[in-house]
Amino acid sequence: MNIRFLLLLLFFTIGAWAQDEEILVSGSLIEAETGQPIPYATVVLKDVSSKATIMGAITNDQGRFQLNSSTKDFYVEISFMGFETIQLRDFKVKGNKVTLGIIKLFQDSQMLDEVVVRGEVSKTEFKLDKRVFNVGKDLSSTGASALEVLNNVPSVNVNIEGDISLRGSDGVQILINGKPSVLADESSNALGTITADMIESIEVITNPSAKYEASGTSGILNIILKKEEKRGWNGSVSINTGVPDNHSIGGSLNRRTEKFNLFTQFGAGYRSLPRDNEAINRNLINNEVIFSEGESFRNETFFNITLGTDYHLNQYNVFTLSGNFAYEIEDQPSETNFRFFDTNNTLVSRWLRDETTDATNPKWQYEFNWKKQFKNNEDHTFQLSALGSFFGKDQSSLFTDTTLEGENVDNNQQTATNFQQADYTFKADYTNPLTKEYTLETGVQYVMNDVGNDFEVRDLIAGEFVINENLTNDFEWNQKVLGIYATGAYENDTWGIKVGVRVENTDLQTLLANTNEGNSQNFTNLFPSLHTSYTFSEKFSLQAGYSKRIFRPRLWDLNPFFNIRNNFNIRAGNPELQPEFTNSYELTSIYKIGKASMSSSLYHRYTTDVVERVSTFVDNVNFSTPENIGTNSSIGFEANGKYSPAKWLTFTWDFNFNYFDRKGTFEDQVFDFTGNQWSTRLGSKIGLPADIDLEFNGNYRSGFETVQGEQSGFAFLDIGMRKKILKGKIVANLGIRDVFASRIQERFVNQPTFEIYDFGLRGRFLTFSLSYAFGKGEAMTYSGRRR
């Protein structure tokens, strides 16, 4: 009896244990078209009879999944947005395991169409001092890059090589979440690590308010990233080649998790930048003439790497730490032919001036940022950031003059440059939306620039190089700018007004250490701003703005040293140069008509202490230095638009015309004159079958009168072609810049005692690149553009 009872108990125990033992289900998910893993897809085990969910999981970054079932009567259902949902029923259980292996998902074209048509569509909202382009699912679901998204923003154009312009003008400042970032550095393509589904919106600011530093740019594009986006791995590698030499290899990588966003970009390459030059110096007093023409090169071998991370401490605090290091090795050969003719137009001498220049340039940049969001409102924020950078140059040059005909002018010179520049920016910004309509902003920024340029010139005398004390010196430049601002805004659904003021104190010190020549400037300025807008409808809005801006002389405007490559045409800086101040008024209309978006502006700008390069003529040598020359009052009209008559065809255009009234004096000369200048650009993007895109950009810039002569106009054409393979996982780019080699720089100086002609040409550039992407997003080209 007892034995039968024990056997029965043992039987039920084994049966119960067998029923409780779980079955392990595992597999790996990839895209059928590309073979790429699919992260964050949903895998569910469902009961065969009731279809109730037994267990669920999502795939990891490599597309793998693993989950358990306590019953054998189940099937597997796998789904992911944009792909066909599948059910797996034909599998075997071996040793309490179900191994599904590699599972392929096919894109669901019908579902993707529904996302585009029924989902959230990208659109532009008009704010007080900016336009906000909200990225909808029609873009975020495509896997496009940040540059592709920018190219969909009205007034913004991104060419195939990745160059960004706003309303037809270069020099756009790119911000990430309202702050400078190594991700937005033009010298790399770190923007390629950002895909469309990471972007919340893009702010377009053409007339910045007092919140932004008063030094001018052509505009600001602020990319706002989503906080909650988790995309796993994104990355790309590319190789590039071109004529003249432009060869590089690079890559970018981005990894997003719940807490971290890790990104890196790296590359190396070699490029050559040739330039043709021609000059004529004509002395009208004795009719002597010097002709010079030649070719120069800037050859560079370069390496760079960017590393950074965003750390989401919690939903209210994000920390960013990033850095960039670059190293360049330069070789700058040049050859210039000179001819000197006397009063009787007789050749006096002909000689050749050769240059051999070598340099090494270390660069680095680093950034720290903390952004805090308050619980009561996501727009209630405090942001603290620090950005530092360093640039160095150790350069040596040898110039050799060789007489070819006539009088002997043989002469050898050496120069040596030890240059170091350190820049630091510290910034704090606080934004408080008091109510839905009222917002206050305040902040402070401190910028430090510290430069030292030790320059030495040596002349060959009696077989030895001897220091030329007249040309040798150590230039030190230190500038500190402290800015404090406050703005207040009222804005409802149709109308708003924003008032702000910025106070900036500039402390500038320059010193020529060897001769103890110093220049000290300390000034404080107010920079008010006023913006208002009225939205008549979603398709038409008016904006009006006023701001005061400043142009502080740059280092090379102040540095008195010069390159003696052509020692009859010398450009030098002016340590005593004063800043320009501009009062800018602008009325802008923004409207959409069908498939076209357009904006037009009337503007008036009044600038004092205008900086112009002025030529003086001594012993047939042209010295060109920047000087403050009076005032400039300009009235202008600007219009730009984007029109897409079909999905495969887009036209963009820009037109700018301004009439100016110049008044000023320099030494004994009066510079009072009026003139005009205009420019236009017409671009087209054509989508061809087989995922081929063509791009044409034609530009024309008119000539205009200058304080001493005139500047010639020119026209040029750029062409690009892009081929996508495997839905953008592989991209091939072909570009031709300045197809007809017509982008010239030609300047005439016509004065009572002398005339100067100066001509420069870069020539035609042909580039080809091949890129491959992994993870989500398209392949991006690494260009290694010079910073």
Side-chain angles (χ1 to χ4, degrees), residues 550-562:
I550 185 174
F551 169 77
R552 295 184 183 86
R554 299 156 299 186
L555 168 66
W556 301 114
D557 296 319
L558 300 168
N559 190 344
F561 303 136
F562 46 81

Side-chain angles (χ1 to χ4, degrees), residues 96-107:
N96 294 314
K97 290 183 180 181
V98 175
T99 303
L100 298 174
I102 297 176
I103 306 165
K104 296 180 180 180
L105 283 193
F106 290 86
Q107 291 194 0

Side-chain angles (χ1 to χ4, degrees), residues 44-54 75 87 89:
V44 177
L45 304 185
K46 290 189 173 184
D47 185 86
V48 172
S49 301
S50 65
K51 298 185 179 180
T53 299
I54 301 171
Y75 64 92
Q87 294 180 353
R89 299 174 182 268

Side-chain angles (χ1 to χ4, degrees), residues 421-492:
Q421 176 175 349
D423 302 309
Y424 306 94
T425 301
F426 304 94
K427 190 177 182 182
D429 297 285
Y430 175 70
T431 301
N432 189 351
L434 302 175
T435 66
K436 184 179 179 181
E437 290 84 15
Y438 292 94
T439 302
L440 290 179
E441 296 175 310
T442 187
V444 60
Q445 177 175 284
Y446 188 53
V447 180
M448 297 186 297
N449 310 111
D450 188 3
V451 173
N453 186 26
D454 191 353
F455 182 69
E456 183 178 85
V457 178
R458 297 184 290 269
D459 298 319
L460 184 63
I461 301 176
E464 293 185 4
F465 283 101
V466 180
I467 294 177
N468 186 329
E469 298 292 349
N470 294 326
L471 301 179
T472 297
N473 219 316
D474 185 3
F475 178 67
E476 298 177 4
W477 177 60
N478 294 279
Q479 179 174 270
K480 301 178 180 67
V481 179
L482 174 64
I484 302 173
Y485 76 89
T487 70
Y490 168 82
E491 185 175 19
N492 57 32

Side-chain angles (χ1 to χ4, degrees), residues 39-40 80 195 197-198 229-234 256 776:
Y40 309 115
F80 188 63
T195 51
D197 47 10
M198 301 178 188
E229 191 59 45
K230 308 176 185 67
R231 294 300 302 169
W233 290 99
N234 298 289
R256 295 178 72 89
K776 296 296 177 183

Side-chain angles (χ1 to χ4, degrees), residues 510-545:
T510 66
L511 176 66
L512 289 168
N514 294 9
T515 55
N516 201 32
E517 299 173 68
N519 177 35
S520 178
Q521 300 180 36
N522 191 297
F523 49 91
T524 301
N525 305 101
L526 288 176
F527 298 95
S529 67
L530 173 64
H531 293 81
T532 185
S533 69
Y534 189 87
T535 302
F536 292 88
S537 69
E538 184 179 329
K539 296 185 177 181
F540 181 68
S541 176
L542 280 178
Q543 294 177 331

Side-chain angles (χ1 to χ4, degrees), residues 19 48 174 208 228 241 257 269 299 347 351 423 428 586 614 654 657 688 730 775:
Q19 287 182 351
V48 172
I174 308 294
E228 71 280 3
T241 188
T257 66
N299 304 323
L347 179 66
W351 70 97
D423 302 309
E586 187 173 301
V614 176
D654 300 282
F657 175 87
L688 301 177
I730 299 176

